[in-house]
Amino acid sequence: MAKLTEYRQKVQDLLTELANYGSSDSEVESQLIFDTERDHYQLAHVGWRNKHRIYGCVLHLDIKDGKIWIQHNGTEFDIGVRLAEMGIPKQNIVNGFHSSYMRQFTDFAVS
């Protein structure tokens, strides 16, 4: 349970840090979405730019079976490396956006 609590806090800290970079457009809001009951965490951009709707998930992380799954990474950062730098072992980080076949060629967990 201590590891789950630690992972939840680190995931929220990372998304909060990235949300604080904000958007270059004042009409586009960075929204943090934390479902701490089901362990789904997202950073989304919502708003308008030049009369066009902006809506999209920037980063999506889940915690499943004691591991952090990177489901989507629309940032310029290597989120797996950032999580490892925060003290999370690479064997507890899964690049979920890669196929299970491709995951075996990384330093991170396969599943």
Side-chain angles (χ1 to χ4, degrees):
M1 187 64 183
K3 185 171 79 171
L4 178 59
T5 302
E6 175 192 351
Y7 286 6
R8 284 176 174 155
Q9 187 59 55
K10 288 184 177 180
V11 163
Q12 291 177 51
D13 290 347
L14 178 60
L15 270 76
T16 301
E17 175 191 333
L18 295 173
N20 287 336
Y21 289 134
S23 169
S24 59
D25 190 328
S26 62
E27 293 187 46
V28 178
E29 177 184 1
S30 295
Q31 291 188 352
L32 292 169
I33 303 163
F34 297 160
D35 178 351
T36 56
E37 185 175 323
R38 294 168 200 82
D39 287 318
H40 304 296
Y41 305 88
Q42 290 188 4
L43 169 61
H45 283 167
V46 179
W48 291 89
R49 180 178 298 135
N50 299 328
K51 299 181 181 179
H52 293 282
R53 179 73 172 153
I54 303 294
Y55 180 86
C57 174
V58 177
L59 184 60
H60 176 174
L61 304 175
D62 291 333
I63 301 174
K64 300 190 304 187
D65 301 324
K67 296 181 181 178
I68 298 175
W69 284 68
I70 304 167
Q71 302 290 12
H72 175 74
N73 180 11
T75 74
E76 62 188 39
F77 302 106
D78 186 331
I79 296 302
V81 170
R82 294 285 297 266
L83 290 167
E85 290 171 349
M86 296 172 78
I88 298 170
K90 286 185 175 182
Q91 67 267 20
N92 289 346
I93 301 168
V94 180
N95 284 318
F97 55 87
H98 285 312
S99 69
S100 57
Y101 173 76
M102 291 301 292
R103 287 182 215 145
Q104 67 182 315
F105 302 112
T106 71
D107 293 336
F108 297 96
V110 174
S111 62

